[in-house]
Amino acid sequence: MTTILNADLHCHSVVSDGTLTPEALAARASANGVELWALTDHDEIGGQARAAAAAQACGMRYLSGVEISVTFLHQTVHIVGLGFDPSNPALIDGLKQTRGGRSQRAKDMAKDLARVGIKDAFEGALQYAGNPDLISRTHFARHLVETGVCKETNEVFRKYLTEGKPGYVEHRWATLKDAVGWITGAGGMAVVAHPARYKFTANEEFALFTEFKGHGGQGVEVVTGSHTAAEYVAYAAAAKDYGLAASRGSDFHSPLESHTELGTLPYLPGAVTPVWELLAARIQ
Ligand code: AMP
Ligand code: MN
Ligand code: MN
Ligand code: MN
């Protein structure tokens, strides 16, 4: 299979921290010319049946998807899963455990924000969560913009929701081994999401890719809304060096907040093996 395919294998719906339904995302992706699509909600696969049906109705091919939160070397790393069986019990159970700490974390975040004068942020953020089980920093950001604390979500993250800022609460997510194991155990492919976003040293990044491969991981995002053009080149080279397949996805969350629209990124560079080549048998 060629790298010249409008595949968008990373985006979010109201089932996690996006603002559109799976059906609205499918329609938007299709209107933008997406040929192969995956919905990859954070730690949750409750939108998969709707996404697959909507993709079929729009004439797009579909891969099941998820984006799992992992803690690796004291940082949060995201692992995308593609082409797994959404009815796999170990995957369902693992994701449930991963989601489990989110409500308590959100209450702790709200307590922290109250100390700097921002009251009732938990209740406020919850209003934006389409799925109460999946309350995320994004929902706090929307609430703080809506109540005039900040002008835009980026500013909220900069001032409140990132390490060292009031409102940031350290959290322990899944292990790399577990997340990769849940995905591959369900017949899917594990992919390191937006690798340029992490603040790893070269040695730490080497450890991430080496351990990821050791656990059975097979892919890395090369062309993503989180990377610059120079990073496409750097991670295409990393994909080749580590023997990983390359993925492409916008990481679209919302028409108003996302700077990268579904299906509009450049194609993968020609020299990589696209993830869809290895996943051909899993495409619906
Ligand atoms: P959580 O899983 O609750 O820690 O929330 C992480 C989500 O916050 C990511 O998936 C992004 O959607 C969003 N996010 C993280 N950093 C930023 C940022 N600087 N600006 C806007 N959104 C961000
Ligand atoms: Mn998100
Ligand atoms: Mn991510
Ligand atoms: Mn994402």
Side-chain angles (χ1 to χ4, degrees):
M1 260 182 176
T2 162
T3 55
I4 310 298
L5 179 75
N6 193 344
D8 195 323
L9 306 180
H10 189 149
C11 67
H12 300 272
S13 76
V14 288
V15 171
S16 65
D17 62 346
T19 61
L20 301 183
T21 60
E23 290 79 10
L25 281 170
R28 200 173 177 101
S30 170
N32 288 347
V34 171
E35 298 161 278
L36 175 65
W37 181 53
L39 171 66
T40 56
D41 278 310
H42 296 285
D43 307 323
E44 169 68 88
I45 53 175
Q48 290 306 306
R50 286 171 66 184
Q56 190 177 28
C58 295
M60 286 185 296
R61 286 178 288 164
Y62 189 75
L63 277 168
S64 57
V66 68
E67 183 177 21
I68 306 183
S69 312
V70 159
T71 300
F72 184 79
L73 297 176
H74 307 289
Q75 286 194 50
T76 300
V77 165
H78 287 167
I79 302 296
V80 163
L82 297 172
F84 50 81
D85 169 9
S87 69
N88 181 273
L91 173 67
I92 291 170
D93 198 56
L95 292 176
K96 193 169 169 204
Q97 279 173 42
T98 306
R99 287 193 299 274
R102 278 188 180 266
S103 285
Q104 189 55 49
R105 170 195 188 227
K107 285 174 192 153
D108 293 344
M109 286 168 66
K111 252 190 232 158
D112 234 31
L113 289 169
R115 279 188 213 118
V116 293
I118 300 169
K119 303 265 186 287
D120 301 324
F122 177 75
E123 293 73 14
L126 197 57
Q127 287 185 357
Y128 291 89
N131 173 359
D133 261 6
L134 211 124
I135 183 160
S136 94
R137 286 184 292 161
T138 314
H139 303 117
F140 280 85
R142 290 189 186 130
H143 169 65
L144 265 56
V145 169
E146 209 49 48
T147 51
V149 177
C150 289
K151 281 209 181 61
E152 46 157 25
T153 51
N154 242 319
E155 186 189 346
V156 185
F157 277 90
R158 212 171 51 244
K159 293 186 174 162
Y160 295 102
L161 304 180
T162 39
E163 211 175 327
K165 303 293 161 62
Y168 181 77
V169 171
E170 181 90 43
H171 193 76
R172 248 206 121 99
W173 301 107
T175 65
L176 183 64
K177 180 172 188 248
D178 282 348
V180 173
W182 297 330
I183 295 163
T184 57
M189 182 195 289
V191 178
V192 176
H194 42 61
R197 274 228 324 242
Y198 313 124
K199 295 186 176 73
F200 288 130
T201 62
N203 279 342
E204 288 170 338
E205 189 185 70
F206 177 80
L208 171 66
F209 282 121
T210 310
E211 291 189 31
F212 172 73
K213 276 207 73 167
H215 296 314
Q218 289 183 290
V220 58
E221 286 185 347
V222 168
V223 175
T224 134
S226 299
H227 284 180
T228 63
E231 287 161 351
Y232 303 158
V233 176
Y235 285 94
K240 295 215 76 170
D241 286 351
Y242 288 102
L244 294 169
S247 193
R248 174 183 190 260
S250 58
D251 208 354
F252 181 82
H253 283 69
S254 154
L256 296 176
E257 294 162 16
S258 296
H259 55 86
T260 306
E261 190 43 81
L262 286 155
T264 62
L265 286 168
Y267 289 122
L268 283 178
V272 298
T273 301
V275 292
W276 47 89
E277 190 171 305
L278 307 185
L279 285 167
R282 314 288 313 180
I283 294 175
Q284 301 174 46

